[in-house]
C-alpha cells in the first residue's frame, strides 16, 4: 500500500508539471494511471476533462462527463456546456446552462455566446451589458467587442435601430463591428470610412508583433476587405468589388464562413454571365462547417442563389428540386415560388407560372403583393392587358399609390377603356379625400384626372375636378380657363359668370421680348434678322439709308481639258446627231477582246483547250473540297460544321463538303 501511495503522489507531481508546461498529452497518461488505481477520483476526472478540452477532444470529454455524471454532479456544468457548444449542439448547451444551480460569470459568458448563435440578440445584449457593468478584469475589451457584434447583428438581420452604447473604437474589431452596424442602417459612406480606420488599426497592432508576417496581416485583413467589397457592390462599383473579392479568395483564409460569403457575392455579380466561374465559386459555399458560421438569412440567401445558378446553367430539374426544397423549408417565403415561376417562363410555360403564383398568393395573402406584381407582368407578356389591370387593382397595399394609378391609366388607355381609367382616378381621389384631404398628392391626382377627362372629351365629368382645384387657388388662371371651357358645353350662363373672374387684357400684358422669344431654343419657322448692335441707337443722317450686302457669286467649274486660247465649238449645245460634222457610227467587225480571261491566255487558245465544248467530254463537276453556292463564315466567327442530311429513299446518306474560308476574308479558321 505504501508503495502504491508513493506512485500516485509521483503521478500527481507529473500531472502538475505537465499542466504548467502545457503538455496535456503526457498529463493525460499520468491521469489515466491514477484512475486505474481509483476510477471515481473526482479530482483526477476533472483534470482529465480539462486536458481533453485543451487538446480539442470535446466528444471524448463529454463521454467522460456522461459516464461519471453521478460522481461529478454539477461540478463540471461549465465544461459540459462548453463541449456541447464546441460540438455545435447549441440547444443542448442552452439546456445545460439553464439547469445549472449557480450562474457563475464564466457560465454567463458562455450563455451570451450560445444566445448569439441562436440569434436571440435581445437576450444576448442584456447578458453582455450586465457582464460589462458587474465585472472588472482583463477580459473587458473582449466583452465590449462581443456586445458590438450583437448590436451589428441586430442592425443587419433584425433591422433594429442602431443604439449608441458608448463603446470605444480603440481596436480594429470594435471599428469593424461598428461598420457592420452602419451597413445595416444603410449608411454606406460612414461604414466604409470605419472599415478604413479598422484596417489601419489592424496593421498598426499586428506590426508590433515581430512574429507576425505580412501574409498573416493580409489574412487578418481579409474580412475587412471583403466587407469593403460588399459596400462597393451596394454602391454599384461592381468591377472594384469583384477585384477585391477575388483577392480575398486567392488568400485562402481559414474561415470557411468568410469564403462562403465572398464566393456567394461573386456569384451575385456574375448573374447569368460567366456561369463557369460561378459554378467553381459555388463549391466554396458547400464547405464543411459553413452552416455553423453564418446566420440563417445568409444561409438562406446562398441557397436561393444556388437555385438561380441552376436555372441560368439550364439545369431545370436541379433548379426545381432546389426550389421545392427551399419552399418546404420556408413555406411563407415568396422567393422559392418566384424561382419556380421563372424556370417555367424559361420553358415558355407562362400559363403554368401564373397558376403557380395565383395558388401561392391565395395561400399566403401576407406575401401576395410581390407575387401579384409578377403575375401582372406575365399577363402583359402574354398580351392580356385587362387581366394584368385586374390583378394590379387587387393589391390593396399599392392600389392608391401614384405609380400604380399611372400604370393602370396608361394600360387602360392603351386598351381604349377610358371609363375604367376614370374609375381608377375616382377611387384614388376618394381615398386621398378621406385619408389626406388637401395634400399635394391629393391635388395632383385631381389635376391629372381633370386633364385626362379633358383630353378624351369628357368635359362635363371634368367640371367637378376643375371646380375643386379652382376653389383651392382662385388665382390659377389656367384652371379657370379650363373650367369656363367645360361649362360652355353645359351651362353657358355659368361660363359667362365665371369669365368675369378672368383678368383684363391690360393686366395680362406680359413683358415679353419678341425677338428673344423667336430666337429661343425650340422656336421653329423664325424669320432671320440681322444682329443688333449693342449700344445706343445713333441718329441717321438725312439721305442715309440701309446698305444691303451683295452676295458673292461662285465661279463655275471649267472642264479639265479646257483651253482658254481655243475657240469653243459653236454647236456644243446641240445633240451630237444634229451637229453638221456628225457622220454616224462606223460599222465594222468587233475587235478581238484581249485580256478578258486568265492572265497570259487568249480567247482562241482557251476555246481550243476547253474540253467541255467537245462532244465526248462529260459534264463538269466541282472539285473535291470546293464550296459551291455558299458563302464564308461571318467575320471574326468560327466556321459552322456541316450538318448531315436526312437519308434518301434509297437508304444512302449524303454529306455536304466542309465549308472553307475564302482567301482574304476576315477571321480565323
Amino acid at each position: 500500500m505504501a508503495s502504491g501511495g508513493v506512485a500516485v503522489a509521483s503521478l500527481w507531481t507529473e500531472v502538475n508539471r505537465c499542466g504548467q508546461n502545457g503538455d496535456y498529452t503526457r498529463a493525460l497518461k499520468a491521469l489515466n494511471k491514477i484512475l486505474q488505481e481509483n476510477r471515481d477520483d473526482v479530482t483526477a476526472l476533472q483534470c482529465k476533462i480539462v486536458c481533453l478540452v485543451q487538446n480539442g477532444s470535446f466528444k471524448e470529454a463529454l463521454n467522460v462527463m456522461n459516464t461519471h455524471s453521478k460522481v461529478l454532479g454539477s461540478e463540471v456544468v461549465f465544461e459540459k456546456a462548453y463541449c456541447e457548444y464546441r460540438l455545435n449542439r447549441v440547444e443542448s448547451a442552452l439546456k445545460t446552462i439553464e439547469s445549472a444551480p449557480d450562474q457563475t460569470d464564466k457560465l454567463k459568458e458562455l450563455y451570451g455566446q450560445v444566445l448569439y448563435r441562436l440569434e436571440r440578440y435581445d437576450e444576448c445584449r442584456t447578458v453582455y451589458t450586465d457582464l460589462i457593468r458587474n465585472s472588472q478584469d482583463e477580459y473587458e475589451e473582449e466583452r465590449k467587442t462581443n456586445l458590438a457584434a450583437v448590436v451589428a447583428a441586430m442592425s443587419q438581420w433584425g433591422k433594429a435601430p442602431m443604439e449608441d452604447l458608448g463603446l470605444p473604437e480603440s481596436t480594429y474589431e470594435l471599428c469593424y463591428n461598428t461598420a457592420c452596424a452602419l451597413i445595416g442602417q444603410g449608411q454606406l459612406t460612414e461604414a466604409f470610412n470605419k472599415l478604413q480606420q479598422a484596417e489601419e488599426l489592424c496593421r498598426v497592432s499586428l506590426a508590433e508583433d515581430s512574429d507576425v508576417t505580412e501574409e498573416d496581416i493580409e489574412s487578418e485583413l481579409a474580412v475587412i476587405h471583403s466587407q469593403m467589397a460588399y459596400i462597393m457592390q451596394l454602391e454599384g462599383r461592381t468591377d472594384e468589388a469583384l477585384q477585391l473579392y477575388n483577392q480575398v479568395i486567392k488568400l485562402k483564409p481559414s474561415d470557411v464562413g468568410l469564403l462562403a460569403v465572398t464566393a456567394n457575392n461573386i456569384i451575385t455579380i456574375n448573374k447569368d454571365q460567366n456561369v463557369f466561374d460561378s459554378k467553381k465559386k459555388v463549391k466554396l459555399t458547400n464547405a464543411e462547417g459553413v452552416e455553423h458560421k453564418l446566420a440563417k438569412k445568409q444561409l438562406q440567401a446562398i441557397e436561393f442563389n444556388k437555385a438561380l445558378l441552376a436555372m441560368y446553367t439550364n439545369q431545370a430539374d436541379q433548379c426545381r428540386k432546389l426550389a421545392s426544397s427551399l419552399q418546404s423549408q420556408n413555406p411563407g417565403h415568396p422567393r422559392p415560388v418566384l424561382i419556380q415561376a421563372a424556370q417555367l417562363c424559361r420553358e415558355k410555360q407562362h400559363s403554368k407560372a401564373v397558376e403557380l403564383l395565383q395558388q401561392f398568393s391565395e395561400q399566403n395573402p401576407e406575401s401576395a403583393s410581390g407575387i401579384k406584381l409578377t403575375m401582372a407582368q406575365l399577363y402583359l407578356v402574354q398580351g392580356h392587358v385587362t387581366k394584368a389591370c385586374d390583378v394590379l387593382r387587387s393589391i390593396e397595399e399599392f392600389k392608391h399609390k401614384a405609380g400604380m394609378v399611372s400604370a393602370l391609366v396608361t394600360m387602360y388607355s392603351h386598351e381604349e377603356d377610358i371609363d375604367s381609367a376614370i374609375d381608377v382616378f375616382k377611387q384614388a381621389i376618394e381615398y386621398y379625400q378621406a385619408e389626406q384631404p388637401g395634400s399635394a398628392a391629393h391635388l395632383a391626382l385631381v389635376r391629372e384626372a381633370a386633364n385626362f377627362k379633358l383630353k378624351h372629351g369628357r368635359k362635363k365629368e371634368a367640371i367637378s375636378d376643375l371646380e375643386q382645384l379652382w376653389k383651392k387657388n382662385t388665382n390659377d388662371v389656367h384652371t379657370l380657363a379650363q373650367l369656363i371651357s367645360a361649362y360652355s358645353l353645359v351651362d353657358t350662363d355659368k361660363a359667362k359668370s365665371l369669365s368675369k373672374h378672368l383678368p383684363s387684357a391690360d393686366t395680362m400684358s406680359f413683358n415679353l421680348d419678341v425677338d428673344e422669344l423667336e430666337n429661343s431654343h425650340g422656336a421653329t419657322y423664325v424669320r432671320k434678322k440681322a444682329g443688333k448692335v449693342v449700344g445706343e441707337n445713333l441718329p441717321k443722317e438725312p439721305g442715309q439709308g440701309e446698305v444691303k450686302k451683295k452676295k458673292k457669286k461662285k465661279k463655275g467649274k471649267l472642264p479639265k481639258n479646257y483651253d482658254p486660247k481655243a475657240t469653243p465649238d459653236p454647236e456644243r449645245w446641240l445633240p451630237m446627231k444634229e451637229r453638221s460634222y456628225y457622220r454616224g457610227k462606223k460599222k465594222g467587225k468587233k475587235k478581238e477582246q484581249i485580256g478578258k480571261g486568265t492572265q497570259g491566255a487568249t480567247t482562241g487558245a482557251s476555246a481550243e483547250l476547253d474540253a467541255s465544248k467537245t462532244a465526248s467530254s462529260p459534264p463538269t463537276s466541282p472539285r473535291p473540297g470546293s464550296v459551291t453556292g455558299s458563302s464564308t463564315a461571318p467575320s471574326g466567327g468560327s466556321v459552322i460544321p456541316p450538318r448531315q442530311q436526312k437519308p434518301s429513299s434509297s437508304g444512302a446518306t449524303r454529306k455536304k463538303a466542309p465549308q472553307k474560308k475564302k482567301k482574304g476574308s476576315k477571321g480565323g479558321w
Side-chain angles (χ1 to χ4, degrees):
M1 292 293 295
S3 61
V6 173
V8 170
S10 63
L11 289 172
W12 277 115
T13 304
E14 177 73 8
V15 169
N16 186 34
R17 183 172 52 82
C18 292
Q20 291 177 355
N21 297 332
D23 190 356
Y24 300 105
T25 304
R26 292 187 63 181
L28 275 172
K29 293 179 181 179
L31 288 167
N32 287 331
K33 291 178 181 179
I34 293 172
L35 289 171
Q36 287 177 1
E37 296 290 333
N38 182 7
R39 65 184 304 271
D40 292 332
D41 189 334
V42 176
T43 305
L45 288 172
Q46 289 177 342
C47 290
K48 183 177 181 179
I49 292 168
V50 171
C51 290
L52 290 171
V53 169
Q54 291 289 345
N55 284 341
S57 304
F58 304 110
K59 189 177 290 186
E60 189 177 348
L62 196 59
N63 290 335
V64 171
M65 285 182 275
N66 291 332
T67 304
H68 301 86
S69 57
K70 292 182 179 180
V71 178
L72 295 171
S74 60
E75 296 292 330
V76 289
V77 173
F78 172 78
E79 287 78 6
K80 182 180 180 182
Y82 182 76
C83 289
E84 290 171 337
Y85 172 76
R86 292 299 301 269
L87 291 170
N88 297 311
R89 304 174 188 176
V90 187
E91 295 287 350
S92 299
L94 181 65
K95 292 179 181 178
T96 302
I97 294 171
E98 291 177 343
S99 64
D102 185 20
Q103 294 292 326
T104 59
D105 285 346
K106 61 181 181 180
L107 265 178
K108 289 181 180 179
E109 298 270 6
L110 183 59
Y111 185 46
Q113 293 283 348
V114 170
L115 291 174
Y116 184 84
R117 285 281 297 275
L118 293 173
E119 299 184 21
R120 293 163 58 174
Y121 300 122
D122 289 326
E123 300 173 59
C124 183
R125 181 185 58 182
T126 305
V127 170
Y128 279 119
T129 304
D130 181 65
L131 281 169
I132 293 172
R133 186 184 300 116
N134 299 320
S135 59
Q136 290 182 350
D137 52 25
E138 65 273 15
Y139 299 110
E140 183 178 359
E141 191 171 289
E142 284 78 359
R143 295 189 189 100
K144 289 180 178 179
T145 302
N146 291 344
L147 180 58
V150 174
V151 173
M154 292 176 68
S155 176
Q156 285 189 311
W157 315 125
K159 300 301 178 184
M162 186 175 172
E163 295 184 27
D164 186 9
L165 301 177
L167 297 174
E169 296 176 1
S170 54
T171 63
Y172 69 92
E173 293 95 341
L174 284 165
C175 275
Y176 174 80
N177 288 334
T178 304
C180 292
L182 289 169
I183 291 173
Q185 299 298 313
Q187 301 177 28
L188 301 182
T189 304
E190 294 83 351
F192 196 84
N193 293 335
K194 287 292 179 186
L195 289 173
Q196 289 179 326
Q197 183 181 347
E199 180 181 7
E200 185 178 351
L201 287 172
C202 181
R203 290 186 182 277
V204 171
S205 62
L206 294 180
E208 295 174 356
D209 191 347
S210 58
D211 296 332
V212 177
T213 62
E214 186 64 28
E215 292 181 0
D216 296 334
I217 295 175
E218 291 298 325
S219 179
E220 189 70 20
L221 288 171
V223 65
I224 298 175
H225 290 161
S226 183
Q227 201 72 302
M228 283 180 172
Y230 176 63
I231 293 176
M232 293 175 184
Q233 184 179 354
L234 291 178
E235 292 177 339
R237 298 152 57 189
T238 52
D239 292 338
E240 299 174 62
L242 192 60
Q243 183 179 1
L244 202 51
Y245 280 140
N246 285 320
Q247 288 179 8
V248 174
I249 294 289
K250 287 179 182 178
L251 289 173
K252 297 180 181 179
S254 58
D255 188 352
V256 292
L258 173 61
L259 277 174
V261 170
T262 305
N264 174 77
N265 291 351
I266 292 175
I267 293 171
T268 60
I269 291 177
N270 290 338
K271 295 182 181 179
D272 57 344
Q273 305 295 322
N274 203 4
V275 291
F276 294 107
D277 178 64
S278 297
K279 290 180 76 173
K280 291 179 182 178
K281 295 295 188 294
V282 79
K283 294 178 182 178
L284 297 175
T285 64
N286 299 325
E288 185 180 357
V290 169
E291 65 277 8
H292 306 303
K293 292 285 186 178
L294 303 179
K296 291 179 181 177
K297 288 192 176 181
Q298 288 175 306
L299 294 171
Q300 189 184 69
I302 290 174
E303 293 301 317
F304 286 152
N305 289 332
K306 287 180 183 177
L308 288 172
L309 182 61
M311 182 183 73
Y312 287 140
T313 52
N314 297 321
Q315 297 175 293
D317 294 336
Q318 179 71 4
C319 177
R320 278 190 286 268
K321 182 180 177 181
L322 290 171
S324 299
S325 175
L326 286 169
Q327 189 174 2
S328 61
Q329 296 171 11
N330 311 277
H333 205 291
R335 196 163 295 171
V337 180
L338 290 173
I339 294 174
Q340 294 180 54
Q343 180 60 44
L344 289 171
C345 290
R346 287 174 71 91
E347 298 170 1
K348 308 299 182 184
Q349 301 182 41
H350 296 91
S351 300
K352 287 186 178 180
V354 171
E355 291 176 7
L356 181 67
L357 295 172
Q358 178 68 33
Q359 182 181 1
F360 180 84
S361 64
E362 292 174 356
Q363 294 175 353
N364 304 274
E366 70 281 355
S367 305
S369 299
I371 296 295
K372 288 184 177 180
L373 288 173
T374 308
M375 288 172 59
Q377 181 66 31
L378 292 178
Y379 276 132
L380 288 175
V381 169
Q382 299 176 74
H384 305 319
V385 181
T386 305
K387 289 184 178 179
C389 292
D390 294 339
V391 172
L392 291 176
R393 295 184 73 173
S394 66
I395 307 175
E396 294 295 332
E397 185 179 352
F398 305 136
K399 188 176 181 180
H400 305 297
K401 299 285 186 182
M404 182 64 76
V405 173
S406 175
L408 287 169
V409 170
T410 302
M411 287 190 284
Y412 277 130
S413 300
H414 180 270
E415 294 294 296
E416 298 182 359
D417 189 354
I418 307 303
D419 293 331
S420 297
I422 292 175
D423 187 54
V424 170
F425 272 123
K426 181 183 176 182
Q427 292 183 8
I429 290 171
E430 289 176 352
Y431 170 80
Y432 279 98
Q433 183 68 38
E435 299 294 332
Q436 303 174 21
S439 63
H442 178 213
L443 296 178
L445 275 173
V446 174
R447 181 168 294 281
E448 290 299 326
N451 292 335
F452 182 81
K453 293 171 185 177
L454 291 173
K455 179 182 177 182
H456 292 87
R458 306 290 184 91
K459 292 188 176 182
K460 294 180 182 180
E461 300 177 29
I463 288 175
S464 60
D465 297 330
L466 292 170
E467 281 186 336
Q468 185 178 357
L469 289 171
W470 188 60
K471 288 178 181 177
K472 287 288 182 182
N473 184 10
T474 55
N475 296 324
D476 190 351
V477 180
H478 178 69
T479 303
L480 178 59
Q482 288 179 318
L483 184 58
I484 293 170
S485 176
Y487 263 122
S488 63
L489 300 176
V490 182
D491 189 349
T492 55
D493 296 335
K494 183 70 173 177
K496 289 180 181 178
S497 64
L498 286 173
S499 63
K500 296 177 182 178
H501 296 280
L502 287 171
S504 62
D506 298 333
T507 58
M508 292 179 65
S509 60
F510 301 105
N511 295 323
L512 294 178
D513 187 346
V514 178
D515 295 328
E516 183 181 355
L517 184 62
E518 287 183 347
N519 295 325
S520 63
H521 177 71
T524 56
Y525 302 105
V526 180
R527 56 189 177 89
K528 296 181 179 179
K529 289 186 177 182
K532 294 183 178 180
V533 180
V534 180
E536 297 181 357
N537 294 326
L538 299 175
K540 294 182 180 179
E541 296 180 3
Q544 185 180 358
E546 294 182 357
V547 180
K548 294 185 178 179
K549 293 183 179 179
K550 293 182 180 181
K551 294 184 178 179
K552 294 182 180 180
K553 292 185 179 180
K554 294 183 180 179
K555 294 182 179 180
K557 292 184 179 180
L558 298 173
K560 293 181 180 179
N561 56 354
Y562 171 71
D563 186 2
K565 297 180 180 180
T567 305
D569 185 7
E571 297 181 359
R572 64 185 181 277
W573 310 113
L574 297 175
M576 183 62 73
K577 290 183 179 180
E578 297 179 8
R579 298 180 188 179
S580 58
Y581 51 82
Y582 179 70
R583 296 290 181 268
K585 294 183 179 180
K586 294 181 180 180
K587 295 182 180 180
K589 294 182 180 180
K590 294 183 179 180
K591 294 182 179 180
E592 187 177 348
Q593 296 180 359
I594 300 175
K596 294 296 179 88
T598 311
Q599 184 176 1
T602 61
T603 308
S606 62
E608 292 176 1
L609 298 174
D610 192 353
S612 63
K613 294 185 179 180
T614 62
S616 61
S617 62
T620 59
S621 61
R623 291 175 293 172
S626 65
V627 182
T628 307
S630 63
S631 62
T632 57
S635 172
S638 58
V639 180
I640 302 175
R643 294 181 297 173
Q644 291 189 357
Q645 293 183 344
K646 294 183 179 180
S648 61
S649 57
S650 61
T653 59
R654 296 179 296 170
K655 293 184 180 180
K656 288 186 179 180
Q659 297 182 357
K660 289 186 178 180
K661 280 280 190 179
K662 290 184 179 179
K663 186 177 180 181
S665 63
K666 296 181 180 179
W669 284 87

